[in-house]
Amino acid sequence: MAERAALLERPGPPQPSGPRPLALPLGLLKTARPRQWVKNVLVVAAPAAAGELFSRHSLSQLAIVFALFTAAASAVYLINDARDADADRAHPTKCRRPVAAGQVPVPVAYAVGGLLAVLAPTAAAALCTPLTAALLAAYVVMQLAYCVSLKHVLVVDLAVVTTGFLMRAMIGGLALGIPLSRWFLITTGFGALFMVSAKRYSEAVQMSGGAEKLGATRALLTEYTTGYLRFVWQLAAGVAVLAYCLWAMESGGTANGSLLPWRQLSMAAFVLAVLRYAVFADRGTAGEPEDVVLRDRALAVIGVVWLAMYGLAVADW
């Protein structure tokens, strides 16, 4: 009996640790923000606006540009999370990010992020046009500067994040050699500023833990007032709507041979989309733009209707 008890107490062979070998790769993938890759769909904006989206060359180039921009953005997310690990641990939701939670070591996040930051522009130079590689390199440098210091500079932080969205919208046109119209740039730029400032406003409204907590999670929220951020998103929304309407009315309100004046009709859907998004901004619940659009069915439907009208206008049907 004593021998049997000893055998029962003797530790057996080590049990398999389950999914632990995949913990680091999965953590790196999560840190790269797959949910935010949808933002990179903006690379098709300029080719779609020019009606040059569906050729084989265009689709292959845009697929490459999408992948490279995703890699560049992922590099920035990795380096940003490595730098902000301590601050993220004080945040009610960001504390679950893999780097802040310890799933991805900080040196590993830096190494993988740095590698992607170098590879993305290098691959763009080999596979795309020089302007595409230059814009992607500028994006990486600007976003890394944002991670290091620019996110602590009042107003400049809003401009940098907005410019990142604008670069996404521009790079597809540069890759295919498509001229970018002034209306396209104005509408895209101020539309991006609208969403960025609405997100900052929502963060300021939701963070009710006092100035110390605000400073621990996003330092500049202690310097912005909700009144100022509201002014910015209202101004940006107004300019975006005005620029879009000027583009739509540029043809004089005629159908130009198409069945209906789709350009002019699309103004209604565009304005409705902005007004619907402003509801969430005003409530202080406008977080990530992709989350707002995907969560609200009415906004998604309005967006689909606008895309259909815009496509019909470009195709001149």
Side-chain angles (χ1 to χ4, degrees):
M1 294 294 294
E3 292 178 358
R4 184 177 180 182
L7 287 173
L8 291 174
E9 293 176 0
R10 184 180 300 170
Q15 298 298 316
S17 56
R20 288 184 182 178
L22 296 177
L24 180 59
L26 290 176
L28 289 170
L29 179 62
K30 185 177 180 181
T31 306
R33 314 278 208 282
R35 289 188 63 188
Q36 297 200 26
W37 292 353
V38 68
K39 295 176 182 177
N40 299 329
V41 175
L42 279 172
V43 302
V44 309
E52 299 184 17
L53 183 59
F54 295 108
S55 69
R56 179 177 299 180
H57 170 70
S58 297
L59 292 175
S60 62
Q61 280 293 107
L62 290 176
I64 293 171
V65 169
F66 177 86
L68 293 178
F69 215 108
T70 298
S74 298
V76 175
Y77 291 137
L78 284 160
I79 294 173
N80 178 74
D81 282 11
R83 286 187 55 85
D84 289 351
D86 292 335
D88 287 347
R89 294 186 185 104
H91 194 277
T93 57
K94 293 180 181 180
C95 63
R96 294 192 288 269
R97 288 178 174 176
V99 179
Q103 184 180 354
V104 175
V106 170
V108 173
Y110 273 125
V112 176
L115 181 63
L116 289 175
V118 172
L119 286 179
T122 303
L127 301 173
C128 304
T129 64
L131 280 177
T132 304
L135 183 65
L136 198 59
Y139 173 83
V140 171
V141 170
M142 182 185 70
Q143 294 298 323
L144 291 179
Y146 175 83
C147 293
V148 174
S149 63
L150 295 184
K151 66 182 177 181
H152 303 300
V153 181
L154 203 65
V155 180
V156 173
D157 72 310
L158 296 176
V160 170
V161 179
T162 298
T163 304
F165 279 97
L166 186 59
M167 286 180 166
R168 286 175 170 90
M170 293 172 59
I171 197 168
L174 294 179
L176 298 177
I178 297 172
L180 301 172
S181 76
R182 64 184 184 276
W183 300 125
F184 174 82
L185 295 174
I186 294 172
T187 303
T188 304
F190 279 93
L193 179 59
F194 167 48
M195 292 186 290
V196 170
S197 54
K199 180 185 175 183
R200 289 288 189 274
Y201 174 78
S202 298
E203 289 175 338
V205 169
Q206 291 176 7
M207 288 305 223
S208 56
E212 182 178 354
K213 186 176 181 181
L214 285 170
T217 54
R218 192 185 294 276
L220 279 187
L221 286 180
T222 61
E223 300 184 44
Y224 285 120
T225 64
T226 55
Y228 174 77
L229 291 172
R230 175 185 287 272
F231 161 76
V232 173
W233 69 254
Q234 288 176 341
L235 173 67
V239 174
V241 167
L242 178 61
Y244 187 88
C245 291
L246 289 173
W247 167 81
M249 296 303 296
E250 201 172 35
S251 64
T254 61
N256 287 334
S258 60
L259 181 63
L260 290 171
W262 297 115
R263 291 175 64 172
Q264 291 74 39
L265 290 174
S266 69
M267 289 190 301
F270 186 85
V271 173
L272 280 176
V274 172
L275 291 176
R276 181 74 182 182
Y277 199 100
V279 170
F280 299 99
D282 186 64
R283 292 175 180 170
T285 57
E288 296 292 343
E290 64 273 16
D291 291 337
V292 176
V293 174
L294 295 176
R295 282 201 314 260
D296 186 63
R297 183 175 300 177
L299 184 57
V301 170
I302 294 170
V304 170
V305 172
W306 171 77
L307 282 173
M309 290 183 175
Y310 191 92
L312 291 169
V314 171
D316 199 22
W317 285 0

